[in-house]
Structures are given as C-alpha cells and as structure tokens.
Amino acid sequence: MTDPARMHDVTDETRAIVQLVLDYSERRLLSEDTPLDKPQTPAELTRLAGRTIDEDGIGARRALDVFENVLAPACITTDDPRYLSFIPCAPSKAAAAFDLVVSASALYGGSWLEGAGAVHAENEVLRWLASEFGMPETAGGVFVQGGTLGNLSALVAAREAARARRPAVTPRVGEPVEPQHDPSTRSGTAAPRKIVCSAEAHSSVASAARIMDAEVIGVPVGADGVLRGDAVRAALAEHSDEVFAVVATAGSTNFGIVDDIAGIADAASEYGVWLHVDGAYGLAAMLTPTARHLFAGVERADSVIVDPHKWLFAPFDACALIYRDSDAGRRAHTQHAEYLDTLTEALDWNPSDFAAHLTRRPRGLPLWFSLATYGAGVYRDAIAGSLRLAQEIADEIEHREGFTLVRRPQLGVVVFERDGWEKADYATWSSRLLDDQHAFVTPSSHAGRTNARFAILNPRTTFADLTGILDTMR
Ligand SMILES: Cc1ncc(COP(=O)(O)O)c(C=O)c1O
C-alpha cells in the first residue's frame, strides 16, 4: 500500500525533490554555454531515455537525470542568440525566473475571487500596453496562451458584436435555428460570416475562421506586402454586410510587414465593421520612438493582440489580448453555470470572461515581474537594438556578392536569397548549420521561391553572429 500523502506532505523526500529542481533551474537560467541542441528520432529517445513511467516511479533524481541528459538536449534552445527561425523566444532572466514562482504558488488566474493579486498585476501590464497603443481607459482584456487563441477570441467577440447589432430574424417553420449560447437573451439573429484580411495574414486567422465556420476574404497586396485601406474598402463594398471583422497585421510573420492600419481603420469604420489588429509578433515595436509611426491607427482598433513570448521577452506562452471596450469581450465569452454563479454574479474583473477559456494560469506575471524589475525603458532599447541590427544586416546583404535582399525590413525580419540556390541547397545548408551547432535558421519561401530568413529579436544576437552565418552559405 502506498502513502498518497507522500506527494504533497513536506518531508525530507519533498525537500530533496524541490532542491534538485531548483538547482537544475538555477544552472539552466545562469548557464552561458547551453548548446543549441537538436531533435532526435522517437526511436533514439526511447532507446536513450528508457521507460520512465511504471507503478513505483523511478525517483526524482533519475527522472531529472533523464531530463537533463536526454530530453533537454533534444529540445532546441529557443533563447540561443543564433536561433533565428520562426519567431524566437528570448525571455529576460527575471521573467524566466519568475515563472518558477507562478508554478510554486499554485496561483489561479481565472477569477478575482481566487487570484485578485495576480489579476491586479496582470491588469497593470495590460493597461500599460493599452496606453502605449493609444487605446482608451475602457480597454482591457486578458493574457491567453498564444496569438492563435488571441485572434480566435477577438474574432468571436467581433462576430458577437455584429450579431448583437443585427435585427432578430424569426426562422420560418421547418428552418434550422442557429445554435444560441444564451437563449434567454438572444433570438434567432443571423450572424455575418466573413473576415477581411491581407492575403499574407497569419495562418491563425484562417484557423479561427475554420473553427468559427466563417470565411476569410484574403485581400491581395502589392509588391511591398502592405494591406491598404482602399483594398479593404473594395472588399467591404463587395461583401458589404456579410463581413464582421477586418484584420490588420502589425508585423507579418514572414517579413515583419506592418499593414496601413490607419487606412484600414478608416475603411472599417465607414462600414461599421470591427477592426482587429494582429500584432502578435510586431506590435511590441510600437514601444520604440523610431518605429511608433508605423503603427498609427492602432488606437482605433476594437481589439489587438501582442505576444509577450515573442518581442516582450517573456517565456512561453503568453498573448496579451486587449479589447477597446472590455465589455465586448465579456459579452462574447463569459461562461454560465450554476457552480460559477458566485463569480459571474459578482461585479469583479474575472479574466476567464475575456477569451475562449476558463481555468487559466496567470501567465502575464512573468512579464509583470520583469517590467517591474527593469522598467520599460530597457524594453524600448532592446527592441530598438533589434530594429537597428535588422537594418545593418540588410545593408550587408545588399552589398554582399551572391546575395539578394528580398525586401527591405520594416521590423526585425530579414529575408534574403543566396543567388543560384534551389530549395534543396537551403535545406542542406540549414541542416548542416544545426548539425554543426552553429545556428538555427530554417528556410522560408515567398512567391514560390525558397529563401533564408533571420528573425532578429534576441538582444544577445550580434552582427558578427549574422555575418558568420552568411559566411557559411557557400
Ligand atoms: C502575426 C502573427 N499572428 C499570430 C501568430 C500566432 O501566435 P502563436 O504562435 O502564439 O499562437 C503568430 C505567430 O508567429 C504571428 O506571427
């Protein structure tokens, strides 16, 4: 017979487990030579790790040993300065360390009743971001898991707002009635089904549309990749009252392109359509005086997202979702159930009410702690540093023989081609870079042509790191 209390009581065994984990975390957080590492095959990991789960447990020491020596080295070090693929994650040391505190304290971030202190701190960060974006006092929201869930939750709120504005439609006998979430307050209102966005918008917008059974109207963009107000106006004129949201991208993933948000805001407001700004990657750059102008018009958005696990130096996973009118988020997302009445009948600020979730970790706290520790100024300087480095390496690529810059970077993403290379050349080169533990740079493509792409975000990435990688493209 086992002792169930063993897992929770504070005993010598518990103390030893906690110490082991803290020692490892300290080593990793303060390490200056963690290798880039790389994935292994499932068969290799099975062989190396062995069986770790059985009836009696293998013990914390052995489990941590497997993690440290087998599993962790099979995970690419996303905070390595030469991790330049996708969108890197470079948590500040304060933010990463504080994530331990969030777990250690078993904090619940769904309701004010249970997590008032944590929610207060998260809200201070959300208010700070909202004021940086020029949004009004009514703005508010929640930290969700990532940009994908942020976009989905914002678009659900947009459709809900459009539905609420529509006159009620009484279905004819025999016609299916649309499912209602709250039948006591809503009767048979038809919802518009279309979302207008750039053809280069992030894949999560299409994913949200699929989940919502909505349709994406992808508006083609010109050679500079920027979606403009006129193009949105034309799409709105064509699809008129079938559209419930326009999405502007504030920093596309592939190129870091910022749409003409002010022009798009004009078009959206002419048609009375919700404007959502997907700034998951790029909106953080608005914190820098030099890039601020690129985001003019954000202050008119009905909702915005920005991911702290990208350019705000927080650990995975966090997306700040902010509604212009927080009530619009609440109306769309509050869950009703008898056991939740204590929460929903109170006038408290419950973060669960603002997205497609209920239970939540207060994942905004690592960013709060880091901002409180270092101040906002160093964030602005760190982001400005990445913007500068992107310009410098773009200049270098423009002048290097055998290289072609695909587009001048607006933010921190630099896309270029090695003249004469085919897809297979990029793939071989990229695998070799990782095999040699030199850098992690995966190929991308544009208009059917393979290219290489640096996503520059980690403040520890240097010009020499980048030229060193270019030198390997022979
Ligand atoms: C512009 C943009 N929107 C949305 C997302 C999705 O965010 P997440 O990966 O956090 O779900 C990304 C991710 O890179 C992105 O760059």
Side-chain angles (χ1 to χ4, degrees):
M1 183 65 184
T2 60
D3 172 15
R6 176 183 161 207
M7 294 194 293
H8 296 84
D9 283 352
V10 179
T11 60
D12 285 349
E13 183 191 25
T14 306
R15 283 188 201 92
I17 294 169
V18 170
Q19 203 52 54
L20 268 177
V21 170
L22 290 180
D23 286 349
Y24 172 81
S25 302
E26 182 178 346
R27 274 199 306 285
R28 174 60 181 88
L29 276 169
L30 301 181
S31 157
E32 299 204 71
D33 58 1
T34 305
L36 249 177
D37 293 323
K38 58 180 185 177
Q40 299 283 356
T41 62
E44 189 62 1
L45 287 175
T46 304
R47 187 181 74 75
L48 293 171
R51 184 166 167 214
T52 53
I53 310 222
D54 61 20
E55 277 305 300
D56 299 322
I58 60 170
R61 189 170 292 279
R62 261 186 69 200
L64 189 66
D65 188 53
V66 170
F67 178 76
E68 183 162 4
N69 296 305
V70 178
L71 305 178
C75 298
I76 296 182
T77 302
T78 58
D79 57 348
D80 188 289
R82 284 181 289 196
Y83 179 118
L84 297 153
S85 294
F86 312 118
I87 304 286
C89 179
S92 74
K93 292 300 177 199
F98 201 76
D99 217 23
L100 295 177
V101 175
V102 177
S103 291
S105 320
L107 294 174
Y108 181 65
S111 73
W112 188 264
L113 178 66
E114 292 151 287
V119 175
H120 176 81
E122 286 191 301
N123 281 349
E124 186 179 352
V125 179
L126 291 168
R127 260 197 311 277
W128 173 71
L129 287 171
S131 84
E132 289 288 328
F133 304 152
M135 297 175 88
E137 283 289 304
T138 51
V142 63
F143 289 95
V144 295
Q145 172 258 328
T148 299
L149 188 61
N151 281 338
L152 172 66
S153 299
L155 290 169
V156 166
R159 187 170 64 181
E160 196 60 24
R163 196 200 310 259
R165 279 199 302 271
R166 292 247 162 141
V169 176
T170 311
R172 271 179 269 159
V173 178
E175 266 185 359
V177 181
E178 213 180 289
Q180 309 295 315
H181 357 208
D182 188 352
S184 63
T185 58
R186 215 169 273 121
S187 67
T189 49
R193 287 193 60 249
K194 295 185 179 174
I195 300 165
V196 169
C197 63
S198 158
E200 299 198 2
H202 189 261
S203 48
S204 55
V205 176
S207 159
R210 271 196 307 278
I211 293 166
M212 298 169 71
D213 193 23
E215 188 185 331
V216 170
I217 308 296
V219 181
V221 288
D224 62 3
V226 175
L227 179 67
R228 295 208 160 70
D230 284 350
V232 168
R233 195 172 282 107
L236 288 171
E238 188 182 337
H239 299 277
S240 62
D241 60 359
E242 293 167 278
V243 178
F244 64 87
V246 172
V247 179
T249 305
S252 64
T253 325
N254 233 2
F255 280 100
I257 293 167
V258 183
D259 287 340
D260 167 23
I261 303 170
I264 296 171
D266 286 342
S269 77
E270 282 161 32
Y271 283 83
V273 174
W274 182 288
L275 172 63
H276 174 63
V277 174
D278 176 2
Y281 155 61
L283 192 51
M286 197 174 173
L287 299 176
T288 64
T290 49
R292 209 178 157 74
H293 66 279
L294 294 173
F295 301 92
V298 163
E299 70 285 355
R300 293 164 64 192
D302 293 291
S303 54
V304 307
I305 62 160
V306 59
D307 280 1
H309 62 222
K310 296 189 167 81
W311 222 346
L312 288 171
F313 313 122
F316 297 123
D317 43 20
C319 162
L321 160 64
I322 305 175
Y323 302 97
R324 169 180 211 80
D325 168 13
S326 55
D327 282 342
R330 194 184 271 119
R331 275 193 294 273
H333 293 292
T334 300
Q335 295 188 25
H336 295 276
E338 288 89 343
Y339 83 103
L340 296 174
D341 284 349
T342 308
L343 303 177
T344 41
E345 285 170 5
L347 293 175
D348 293 335
W349 183 280
N350 296 319
S352 294
D353 289 346
F354 298 96
H357 61 189
L358 185 64
T359 295
R360 68 177 290 275
R361 158 191 188 81
R363 54 171 57 79
L365 284 187
L367 175 58
W368 163 78
F369 183 71
S370 184
L371 275 168
T373 299
Y374 303 121
V378 66
Y379 278 75
R380 300 184 206 282
D381 293 345
I383 296 166
S386 303
L387 292 171
R388 259 194 319 275
L389 183 54
Q391 292 302 324
E392 283 163 16
I393 198 65
D395 291 344
E396 167 71 23
I397 290 165
E398 269 182 336
H399 292 109
R400 253 194 198 220
E401 212 177 306
F403 286 79
T404 303
L405 187 68
V406 177
R407 272 176 181 152
R408 224 30 245 184
Q410 262 190 313
L411 300 178
V413 180
V414 182
V415 180
F416 57 97
E417 292 179 9
R418 180 73 176 92
D419 299 344
W421 275 23
E422 301 292 333
K423 187 172 180 173
D425 299 310
Y426 288 96
T428 310
W429 162 76
S430 171
S431 313
R432 205 182 48 236
L433 268 187
L434 188 60
D435 280 342
D436 295 348
Q437 294 286 283
H438 184 154
F440 183 53
V441 186
T442 49
S444 183
S445 70
H446 176 63
R449 293 171 65 90
T450 310
N451 55 43
R453 173 179 170 278
F454 289 155
I456 301 166
L457 171 162
N458 189 321
R460 293 173 59 232
T461 304
T462 62
F463 186 71
D465 286 332
L466 302 177
T467 52
I469 295 168
L470 295 180
D471 291 344
T472 64
M473 299 180 87
R474 293 178 214 286

